[in-house]
Amino acid sequence: MSMAQQAEPAVTTPPAPGPKQTDGRTRERSMALRVLARPEVGVFLGAVAVFVFFLIAAPTLRDGGSMATVLYQSSTIGIMALPVALLMIGGEFDLSAGVAVVTSALTAGMLSYQLTMNVWMGVVVALVASLAVGAFNGWVLVKTGLPSFLVTLATFLVLQGVNLAVTKLVTGNVATDDISDMDGFDQAKALFASSFDVGGVEVKITVVWWLVFAALATWVLLRTKYGNWIFAVGGSQESARAVGVPVTFTKITLFMLVGFGAWFVGMHQLFSFNTVQSGEGVGQELIYIAAAVIGGCLLTGGYGSAIGPVFGAFMFGMVNQGIVFAGWNPDWFKAFLGVMLLGAVLINLYVRRAATRR
Amino acid sequence: MDRSSHARSRRFAPAVALAAAAALTLAGCSSSSGGKKADEDSDSGASAGKANTPRMTVALVTHQAPGDTFWDIVRKGAQAAADKDNVKLVYSADPNAGNQANLVQNAIDQKVDGIAVTLAKPDALRSVLDKAEKAGIPVVGLNSGLADWKKLGLMEFFGQDESVAGEALGKRLNEDGAKKAVCVIHEQGNVGLTQRCDGVKKTFEGSIENLYVNGTDMPSVKSTVTAKLKQDGGIDHLITLGAPFAMTAVQSVDESGSKAKVATFDLNKELTGAIEKGDIEFAVDQQPYLQGYLAVDGLWLYKNNGNYSGGGEQPVLTGPAFVDKTNVKAVAEFASKGTR
């Protein structure tokens, strides 16, 4: 449990009492209870419940290929939910994350096509652009002290307009041109959008990247100084600054991490669909934030984990596809989705409350 | 001295980096295949001289969502007619019906010479269209609102009957021997899209069901369609309601190992290639370019010659036209310019 203990920030006051608070009343709590009090355990149980439910309700889901589809959907949400969750633990959130994905894909697609360059040039420039958008968000936030809601809402609107206007200006259409016959495309596709065979089941590479990034994020959060900084700035910015945490650096880099995620998912979309429509991505930001919140991150910051959002994204993908696999009346699709998610979150909440109750 | 040169070098650093990047680009990173170079020979749009009639202003107000390829083609058609007719085209759009009504009001306030409007949600536009009538501004309808344009007092209508288009597609599926089809709706609650699927249902003799997907997120579209194909191995035809979704559906078919064929409403330039290759069976084209073009041209004709297309009684239908392997060659040339 040393990992769990390290996750608790030195300078924060999380609303749910964490396992480190040993004031005499909680000393006797069992190992099991301490495990249950972790932010990701509730969502893990919620995900298991949803999973079992659909295994029963949808027979075709028991097939390995079907699970691969669920995991694919989860991974494209999950890769973005990770940096979004880290940012949220750091006390901020990003409404521009959904359209930023499309901005990145458009940048790479248009640049390569218009200049007839190797697509890798487009990929690199798109990375720079995505990181710049993140840095801009963080910089404005830190310099002005405005709430992240306002700053990133502005960016969201600007990017939405820029996506459309620039694409139209450059290509004459509102979608990018097909780049699938250009140099470097196959390599890039192999990295961002290929799939491989596991015992006769086609698994998307995004699933692997998702898990790799999740492991990386967990390590950063629990084992590095930077991870402590994230918890610290999310818990209380002023106290963090007072004990020497570089608040400005931490916040700006967190926004840049979201930019990196947007770039990665954007590249996946570009290389998996060859073209990008400029109006896409709107509304996705809420799904990323939802996956992080379902995964146990608090909207107020200072509390959460990186593995929680993995289950949050999985749950979202599971419900999304499970409804289709179950063959339910699609008119009710959104309503089913809402009910299932609320139910899962309630399980999550209940487990955490039960575990932390004395 | 030392300090100033340092500052200067710092100032120039981005420029140097940019120049280096540009040089690098020109030197070794260009793609030997595809890209703009390969497409450079195609010029843009139709042009047919210019009328010397007095300059007039026409407002085109649609319910387009930002970044939709279909509406871009409508707008190009309208612009082509405007260029030819010496018309100043004012384009605006909002998918929210209330906001669209405000945009029509805005056009009335500008005292335009004519308004072309889509009627996706006709009731929301009723009162503002009355105002246009009172202001003496001629109004034509296009694209959606076939059932309502006359009730709302519009002069002419250019578009496709969505149900008729759906029915035509349903008949075509019967000819192709389809037994079980899925209609993929990329926007839950859109009346026109639902009408298409209902139209298919009317004439199609096999079984058909609807599937909703999240149209703003392609990976989600892909996995949802894949999931559906895996859930029901008996599906032999997928019907999508927009060209980009058809392209994605083809990938879903590949991945799920299904043998389903893909048919779609609406075209774009990638789609014509897919029809040529045989990845997609056929597309039902409502010719959006024609809708935009005729709406503007209709207003021009009315102002300059008092003409009514369709006699003011009948709609002018722009579809359904089928594009399949037999005629795709002729269409592809125009689709690559983004006008079909």
Side-chain angles (χ1 to χ4, degrees):
Chain A
M1 281 311 291
S2 70
M3 282 198 13
Q5 287 179 355
Q6 282 217 359
E8 290 306 321
V11 288
T12 56
T13 48
K20 197 175 183 185
Q21 289 172 344
T22 50
D23 58 0
R25 287 173 295 180
T26 53
R27 188 176 295 156
E28 307 300 326
R29 283 166 66 214
S30 69
M31 180 76 154
L33 274 180
R34 281 191 291 150
V35 168
L36 282 175
R38 293 283 309 149
E40 62 271 16
V41 171
V43 65
F44 171 72
L45 294 178
V48 169
V50 167
F51 182 63
V52 171
F53 175 79
F54 277 113
L55 276 188
I56 296 163
T60 38
L61 194 60
R62 292 168 209 155
D63 174 55
S66 304
M67 274 322 295
T69 305
V70 170
L71 283 176
Y72 168 58
Q73 159 104 73
S74 310
S75 69
T76 57
I77 296 168
I79 291 174
M80 267 308 264
L82 280 170
V84 165
L86 293 189
L87 180 68
M88 208 178 283
I89 296 171
E92 309 291 343
F93 62 93
D94 189 347
L95 290 177
S96 68
V99 287
V101 169
V102 179
T103 304
S104 203
L106 289 171
T107 308
M110 279 193 288
L111 203 86
S112 321
Y113 180 85
Q114 293 298 326
L115 304 178
T116 318
M117 288 192 306
N118 188 306
V119 294
W120 282 103
M121 284 297 283
V123 171
V124 171
V125 174
L127 175 61
V128 174
S130 287
L131 292 177
V133 169
F136 175 80
N137 273 336
W139 181 76
V140 171
L141 182 103
V142 171
K143 285 294 161 201
T144 61
L146 288 170
S148 51
F149 177 84
L150 207 72
V151 174
T152 59
L153 180 67
T155 316
F156 166 75
L157 294 171
V158 169
L159 288 184
Q160 221 182 320
V162 166
N163 282 357
L164 182 59
V166 173
T167 309
K168 183 78 200 250
L169 212 63
V170 172
T171 67
N173 299 306
V174 295
T176 62
D177 296 276
D178 191 343
I179 58 162
S180 60
D181 53 355
M182 297 183 67
D183 287 356
F185 184 88
D186 293 334
Q187 298 162 333
K189 190 178 173 90
L191 182 68
F192 293 110
S194 58
S195 50
F196 56 93
D197 193 279
V198 177
V201 175
E202 284 279 302
V203 178
K204 291 276 173 199
I205 193 137
T206 48
V207 177
V208 176
W209 285 119
W210 176 38
L211 299 178
V212 168
F213 289 148
L216 211 62
T218 303
W219 177 75
V220 166
L221 210 49
L222 302 183
R223 291 284 170 187
T224 66
K225 205 196 289 174
Y226 185 69
N228 278 336
W229 291 350
I230 296 175
F231 279 112
V233 298
S236 166
Q237 193 166 316
E238 292 320 307
S239 343
R241 188 167 270 137
V243 296
V245 171
V247 172
T248 304
F249 171 82
T250 309
K251 294 229 165 176
I252 292 180
T253 45
L254 279 175
F255 275 105
M256 289 173 78
L257 269 181
V258 176
F260 177 83
W263 169 75
F264 198 91
V265 176
M267 292 309 103
H268 167 69
Q269 296 200 3
L270 178 64
F271 291 107
S272 122
F273 302 105
N274 309 342
T275 68
V276 190
Q277 279 201 100
S278 56
E280 283 175 34
V282 179
Q284 286 302 106
E285 63 282 346
L286 292 181
I287 291 173
Y288 304 141
I289 292 172
V293 173
I294 293 166
C297 298
L298 289 183
L299 278 164
T300 47
Y303 183 80
S305 69
I307 201 74
V310 171
F311 294 118
F314 174 74
M315 190 138 75
F316 205 90
M318 186 74 231
V319 173
N320 220 329
Q321 303 308 323
I323 291 168
V324 179
F325 278 118
W328 293 346
N329 181 350
D331 291 344
W332 289 92
F333 182 77
K334 289 264 166 75
F336 285 141
L337 197 62
V339 169
M340 300 286 304
L341 284 178
L342 187 63
V345 177
L346 286 177
I347 295 180
N348 184 351
L349 190 72
Y350 173 77
V351 168
R352 192 155 71 217
R353 286 233 177 108
T356 52
R357 192 167 39 219
R358 289 180 292 273
Chain B
M1 177 66 204
D2 190 22
R3 196 193 296 159
S4 79
S5 84
H6 183 66
R8 187 184 298 161
S9 75
R10 261 226 307 234
R11 197 177 317 140
F12 281 118
V16 170
L18 206 69
L24 206 66
T25 305
L26 294 172
C29 289
S30 56
S31 174
S32 58
S33 62
K36 197 179 188 186
K37 268 187 189 158
D39 288 349
E40 211 116 64
D41 50 344
S42 65
D43 55 343
S44 65
S47 66
K50 190 169 181 177
N52 57 5
T53 49
R55 185 83 167 157
M56 62 184 277
T57 305
V58 168
L60 172 57
V61 185
T62 74
H63 64 278
Q64 168 190 15
D68 188 319
T69 50
F70 177 88
W71 287 102
D72 197 39
I73 302 174
V74 173
R75 189 176 171 184
K76 278 182 182 159
Q79 191 61 54
D83 290 346
K84 194 199 73 179
D85 295 342
N86 195 19
V87 166
K88 182 186 169 207
L89 180 72
V90 183
Y91 182 82
S92 57
D94 199 304
N96 175 300
N99 293 344
Q100 197 196 355
N102 283 340
L103 291 172
V104 175
Q105 180 62 52
N106 186 315
I108 296 170
D109 297 342
Q110 290 182 48
K111 300 196 167 56
V112 296
D113 300 298
I115 297 174
V117 67
T118 64
L119 304 173
K121 283 147 191 160
D123 291 331
L125 295 174
R126 189 177 298 272
S127 68
V128 78
L129 290 176
D130 285 345
K131 282 188 201 163
E133 197 176 352
K134 282 205 188 84
I137 301 172
V139 183
V140 300
L142 69 152
N143 181 257
S144 45
L146 191 87
D148 298 280
W149 68 278
K150 271 178 89 176
K151 272 186 276 175
L152 293 178
L154 267 52
M155 210 171 67
E156 311 163 352
F157 183 85
F158 307 94
Q160 160 179 268
D161 186 327
E162 300 291 13
S163 323
V164 169
E167 287 167 27
L169 193 143
K171 283 179 196 155
R172 176 84 183 231
L173 289 183
N174 292 338
E175 287 167 24
D176 292 357
K179 293 277 173 288
K180 193 166 201 178
V182 168
C183 200
V184 182
I185 299 180
H186 56 264
E187 192 187 325
Q188 196 167 1
N190 181 318
V191 179
L193 298 185
T194 314
Q195 279 173 348
R196 288 179 177 179
C197 292
D198 289 348
V200 179
K201 200 171 206 166
K202 226 166 157 186
T203 52
F204 181 48
E205 285 153 10
S207 73
I208 179 162
E209 58 181 310
N210 293 352
L211 175 71
Y212 292 106
V213 295
N214 175 7
T216 60
D217 182 25
M218 271 304 173
S220 164
V221 172
K222 181 156 116 183
S223 36
T224 305
V225 175
T226 307
K228 186 68 200 172
L229 290 170
K230 280 183 178 153
Q231 184 250 329
D232 190 341
I235 295 166
D236 53 22
H237 276 77
L238 280 175
I239 300 149
T240 58
L241 307 181
F245 306 104
M247 302 302 293
T248 303
V250 170
Q251 294 194 5
S252 296
V253 170
D254 278 352
E255 267 168 31
S256 63
S258 156
K259 291 208 166 54
K261 291 173 177 168
V262 180
T264 186
F265 289 85
D266 300 343
L267 271 180
N268 69 12
K269 63 177 178 179
E270 275 78 34
L271 195 84
T272 52
I275 293 176
E276 274 180 273
K277 271 199 289 180
D279 287 343
I280 287 170
E281 292 292 292
F282 61 85
V284 178
D285 187 15
Q286 60 172 314
Q287 308 195 75
Y289 188 86
L290 195 55
Q291 292 177 358
Y293 187 95
L294 291 180
V296 172
D297 212 33
L299 286 164
W300 177 79
L301 280 167
Y302 174 73
K303 177 154 175 120
N304 290 289
N305 206 35
N307 290 124
Y308 287 91
S309 299
E313 288 293 321
Q314 294 296 321
V316 178
L317 296 183
T318 59
F322 281 94
V323 176
D324 59 17
K325 229 171 183 167
T326 60
N327 64 355
V328 68
K329 277 250 156 54
V331 173
E333 180 194 343
F334 305 114
S336 72
K337 293 175 193 164
T339 58
R340 268 305 284 275

